[in-house]
Amino acid sequence: MSRVYNFSAGPAVLPEEVLKEIQEEIFDYNGSGQSVMEMSHRSKVFDDIIKEAEADLRDLMHIPDNYKVLFLQGGASLQFAMIPMNLMKNKVADYIVTGQWAKKAYQEAAKYGKAVKIASSEDKTFSYIPDCSDLPIDDDADYVYICMNNTIYGTVYKELPNTKGKDLVADVSSCFLSEPLDVSKFAIVYGGVQKNVGPAGMVIAIVREDLITDDVLEGTPTMMKYKTHADADSLYNTPNCWCIYVCGKVFKWLKKMGGLEVMKERNEKKAAILYDFLDSSEMFRGTVEKKDRSLMNVPFVTGDKDLDAKFVKEATEAGFVNLKGHRTVGGMRASIYNAMPIEGVEKLVAFMKKFEEDNK
């Protein structure tokens, strides 16, 4: 069968070019006579794979030399604990809660010290980003935490919060590599790769070196210390070799496409096609305040649950899959990550127009 247009929030669509390359190498990677799935993580062949992946990521994001790139397991959710364990020296941290994942991170941090919710958009189902220009930042706060792009609710920070000199930590899972990012403005930038970068099962954490120390909370497991992984170049234990290999392929694809500046232009163009239709439609409407709209995740509704369900069913039959919205928002959500081609969005909009005509 032909491939569908996959609008899943994650695990998500991967570039077809990358999938074809992987298919060609599945039995024999680079003349080694083995698959990457079978090779030792201590081998010279794999050492080249992980080093090249890191070099390409550094190149793409212009990561400064005083930041370590760590390929870690446990997904983004394990970072909710790892961050306070490694950073909460004063046992205080400020959290801006703009969605489910920021809320979970905030709740997790509360186990290790005083987590303070300094701003939230929960009052309107996380449909906007609060004003972060003058927040009540704690004098003792070890860091300020944000989730940059909210996968479920479709909001994104267009401006970083004013942290009043405090370190900023950001979960960038669903906007990772979708546009340029000035890493130097953050203490830690991390993201689960299964949305915009690779297959499920890994998180990439970019951590400023001065934060990588043995001075962590008492009782922190060895595997939960950034220093453990930084000292071993992400090879303290067997890493997710396959995931690192696929992410490395995606980094090469992004470079070939022209880098993150080009991806930003492409993503803006794609998102505009969908948002312009939503703004002109009489049936469908977006659920996010215009100024805070994500380029990656676009939630929308008809206002009628039965009609929403009918749309999802018919869209699936037509080859537009995984459009059902998160249960907390309802309706639909189209995740249009880097690997979603522009014609996928154009065809979705054409389908939506026809659905609207047929169901007036």
Side-chain angles (χ1 to χ4, degrees):
M1 71 176 274
S2 59
R3 278 173 64 77
V4 294
Y5 288 110
N6 179 10
F7 293 93
S8 169
V13 61
L14 283 161
E16 282 196 15
E17 206 177 301
V18 169
L19 292 174
K20 281 174 184 159
E21 266 183 49
I22 293 164
Q23 187 182 30
E24 281 166 23
E25 295 172 353
I26 194 100
F27 280 105
D28 178 8
Y29 173 75
N30 217 6
S32 66
Q34 56 190 319
S35 171
V36 175
M37 278 192 258
E38 304 169 295
M39 65 179 56
S40 165
H41 62 296
R42 304 286 178 201
S43 66
K44 168 78 174 80
V45 192
F46 185 73
D47 196 52
D48 290 346
I49 289 172
I50 191 170
K51 286 199 168 118
E52 203 166 315
E54 180 179 337
D56 284 337
L57 181 63
R58 285 185 174 278
D59 196 19
L60 272 170
M61 293 183 76
H62 310 298
I63 297 171
D65 290 343
N66 64 323
Y67 284 75
K68 287 272 192 205
V69 173
L70 306 175
F71 299 104
L72 306 171
Q73 291 167 77
S77 295
L78 195 64
Q79 294 302 305
F80 299 167
M82 228 166 145
I83 287 157
M85 282 177 167
N86 284 267
L87 265 55
M88 259 194 181
K89 316 290 187 210
N90 298 325
K91 294 283 191 80
V92 181
D94 288 345
Y95 279 71
I96 302 169
V97 177
T98 51
Q100 196 113 321
W101 304 114
K103 189 177 179 178
K104 286 188 173 178
Y106 158 74
Q107 288 167 338
E108 193 70 16
K111 295 176 181 176
Y112 303 102
K114 183 182 158 195
V116 186
K117 194 192 291 188
I118 54 169
S120 171
S121 53
E122 202 163 0
D123 61 330
K124 292 183 185 170
T125 325
F126 301 122
S127 58
Y128 69 102
I129 298 287
D131 176 8
C132 297
S133 57
D134 186 20
L135 296 164
I137 309 278
D138 277 77
D139 290 343
D140 290 335
D142 292 299
Y143 59 89
V144 177
Y145 181 101
I146 61 169
C147 180
M148 192 93 174
N149 184 91
N150 297 284
T151 325
I152 294 173
Y153 303 97
T155 58
V156 68
Y157 284 81
K158 300 280 166 72
E159 275 176 46
L160 293 177
N162 172 10
T163 64
K164 301 178 182 176
K166 297 293 183 187
D167 279 338
L168 181 62
V169 174
D171 173 354
V172 298
S173 294
S174 50
C175 57
F176 215 169
L177 304 181
S178 63
E179 58 182 280
L181 186 71
D182 183 354
V183 174
S184 67
K185 291 184 172 168
F186 302 86
I188 297 177
V189 170
Y190 77 90
V193 300
Q194 74 281 6
K195 297 174 183 297
N196 211 24
V197 190
M202 193 172 75
V203 63
I204 296 173
I206 302 162
V207 187
R208 209 175 62 221
E209 281 179 350
D210 62 289
L211 299 169
I212 301 172
T213 67
D214 278 320
D215 179 21
V216 295
L217 294 190
E218 200 181 328
T220 297
T222 307
M223 281 291 288
M224 299 279 279
K225 285 165 64 173
Y226 288 124
K227 193 169 192 305
T228 300
H229 301 284
D231 288 353
D233 295 324
S234 300
L235 293 165
Y236 174 75
N237 67 324
T238 311
N240 191 332
C241 302
W242 178 255
C243 200
I244 291 165
Y245 157 73
V246 180
C247 289
K249 293 260 181 222
V250 174
F251 302 155
K252 290 242 180 284
W253 176 77
L254 287 167
K255 287 175 84 168
K256 190 177 151 189
M257 295 297 286
L260 302 189
E261 287 79 5
V262 172
M263 291 319 291
K264 184 183 189 212
E265 282 170 31
R266 272 175 47 122
N267 288 327
E268 284 174 341
K269 197 171 159 189
K270 272 193 306 200
I273 293 165
L274 187 46
Y275 284 126
D276 288 351
F277 169 68
L278 289 172
D279 291 342
S280 66
S281 167
E282 286 173 23
M283 177 181 283
F284 298 100
R285 64 172 182 84
T287 58
V288 170
E289 287 192 18
K290 283 187 186 180
K291 66 178 176 50
D292 301 322
R293 282 173 166 176
S294 164
L295 295 179
M296 296 286 101
N297 311 99
V298 184
F300 56 96
V301 294
T302 64
D304 177 331
K305 280 182 181 172
D306 293 337
L307 200 55
D308 287 350
K310 186 182 184 203
F311 174 80
V312 170
K313 183 175 180 289
E314 290 184 12
T316 305
E317 286 162 5
F320 305 100
V321 304
N322 295 312
L323 280 165
K324 191 172 192 280
H326 192 270
R327 61 185 181 278
T328 55
V329 184
M332 288 68 68
R333 168 182 52 177
S335 293
I336 48 176
Y337 298 127
N338 286 341
M340 172 58 68
I342 198 156
E343 63 267 19
V345 182
E346 287 168 344
K347 285 179 178 172
L348 174 65
V349 167
F351 176 80
M352 290 168 77
K353 280 180 181 164
K354 186 172 183 321
F355 183 88
E356 183 164 345
E357 281 162 26
D358 294 348
N359 292 275
K360 266 182 179 162

